[in-house]
Amino acid sequence: MVDIDAAIGYVVAHGDPVERARLSYLRTGQPPDPQVIERIVAGQTESGGWPAAADGVIASVDATAFRLNELDDLGGLHGEPVDRALAWLATVQRQDGTWQEDESLAEQAPAWAMPGDPEATLYLTALAGFWMTVAEFEANPHLQVPARYGSALAAAARWLVAQLRPDGTWPSFLAAGWHAAGLLHGQQYFYESARVQLVLGDRLPDMAPADIASMAAALRRVQLGDDWLLQSARKRLAETQRTDGGWDSAEGPVFDVNTTLTVLRACRA
């Protein structure tokens, strides 16, 4: 089993104020100090998105999704900053239903966010659609009123369905899979979502710990993932936990605390 106490100790010892506040909310539901939310919102651009770098001025789809993830861990996936971020995402969605980063970010963009790259386009479309799906559910959990961004999500889902291969695989990065599964399920493409989840289950033995954590947390967030898949994910996470209580990030040591928080999100009751 995952050593939850050791993971908590790692975040307490190495996390910044925002990360420790995320830990408190994940553990007890304790609302963060308003200054923690303000610290995240302070980096938001006038357009509504967040830049990829602290000194950046051009909003990034990838960075905006990361900030929405942070706010979600703080119980803050609502309110004016989130509304502005969602409105920005809807504004920059392309006519075919996809998302790409601004061309001006090409020199600094990682492979998964490279403007114009087909694999990056699929990943960012799944990622943006996933977080818009989660935000819509937070705003309207009982579906009493039409979704604010229903047309944007429908367009993204139609495009993603067209990209799936007959065996359920997709021509993009692994992480596109679990985000696509959440978006497709939310748009009632249940069969397509299930096919993607089966592929993820087949790939689980070869996944890095950070990917396993992200997959399990994302599927749980939208109430997906069968018992076998999540139980297998937790077993692999237990096997890859370090002696200091943390897990390795795919982006380097600076993100190890974030990966550990993602594990805790995936394993919480």
Side-chain angles (χ1 to χ4, degrees):
M1 293 180 63
V2 168
D3 188 338
I4 298 296
D5 289 340
I8 290 171
Y10 179 80
V11 176
V12 171
H14 301 281
D16 63 24
V18 171
E19 289 166 334
R20 289 195 293 272
R22 289 168 63 189
L23 174 66
S24 294
Y25 183 80
L26 288 171
R27 289 179 62 200
T28 66
Q30 177 182 342
D33 187 299
Q35 291 183 349
V36 173
I37 299 294
E38 291 171 5
R39 179 171 176 172
I40 297 174
V41 174
Q44 193 171 21
T45 66
E46 291 186 7
S47 66
W50 275 266
D55 57 351
V57 295
I58 304 298
S60 156
V61 176
D62 187 48
T64 298
F66 180 83
R67 295 306 180 190
L68 290 174
N69 190 341
E70 278 192 321
L71 289 170
D72 189 40
D73 277 356
L74 294 164
L77 203 62
H78 50 75
E80 191 263 346
V82 173
D83 290 342
R84 289 179 57 217
L86 296 176
W88 176 76
L89 285 172
T91 299
V92 299
Q93 186 180 29
R94 296 157 62 89
Q95 289 188 349
D96 62 358
T98 64
W99 276 273
Q100 290 186 13
E101 295 288 24
D102 190 282
E103 292 183 0
S104 66
L105 299 176
E107 290 188 3
Q108 66 189 76
W112 62 84
M114 186 61 64
D117 181 80
E119 293 188 25
T121 298
L122 196 155
Y123 168 69
L124 290 176
T125 300
L127 180 69
F130 175 86
W131 281 107
M132 290 185 81
T133 297
V134 174
E136 288 281 30
F137 181 77
E138 282 292 294
N140 184 26
H142 302 294
L143 306 177
Q144 306 100 320
V145 297
R148 296 167 296 176
Y149 298 105
S151 60
L153 291 171
R158 285 195 301 269
W159 185 86
L160 282 171
V161 167
Q163 312 311 307
L164 294 180
R165 298 170 178 140
D167 62 357
T169 59
W170 52 95
S172 183
F173 303 97
L174 179 64
W178 52 83
H179 292 107
L183 167 60
L184 293 176
H185 185 85
Q187 292 300 302
Q188 300 186 17
Y189 287 99
F190 303 126
Y191 172 69
E192 290 81 1
S193 177
R195 286 167 57 207
V196 171
Q197 292 175 67
L198 286 173
V199 173
L200 291 170
D202 289 339
R203 293 187 179 181
L204 180 63
D206 299 320
M207 284 188 194
D211 287 333
I212 296 172
S214 294
M215 179 194 71
L219 295 179
R220 287 204 63 196
R221 187 63 182 83
V222 290
Q223 300 178 13
L224 287 183
D226 60 36
D227 289 342
W228 173 85
L229 181 54
L230 291 178
Q231 288 175 8
S232 297
R234 294 189 188 106
K235 180 179 178 181
R236 287 283 292 124
L237 290 171
E239 293 169 350
T240 54
Q241 187 174 18
R242 300 189 314 231
T243 56
D244 64 359
W247 282 263
D248 292 335
S249 165
E251 287 85 31
V254 70
F255 288 101
D256 285 357
V257 172
N258 184 65
T259 295
T260 303
L261 283 165
T262 304
V263 173
L264 289 170
R265 181 150 43 93
C267 296
R268 66 178 173 175

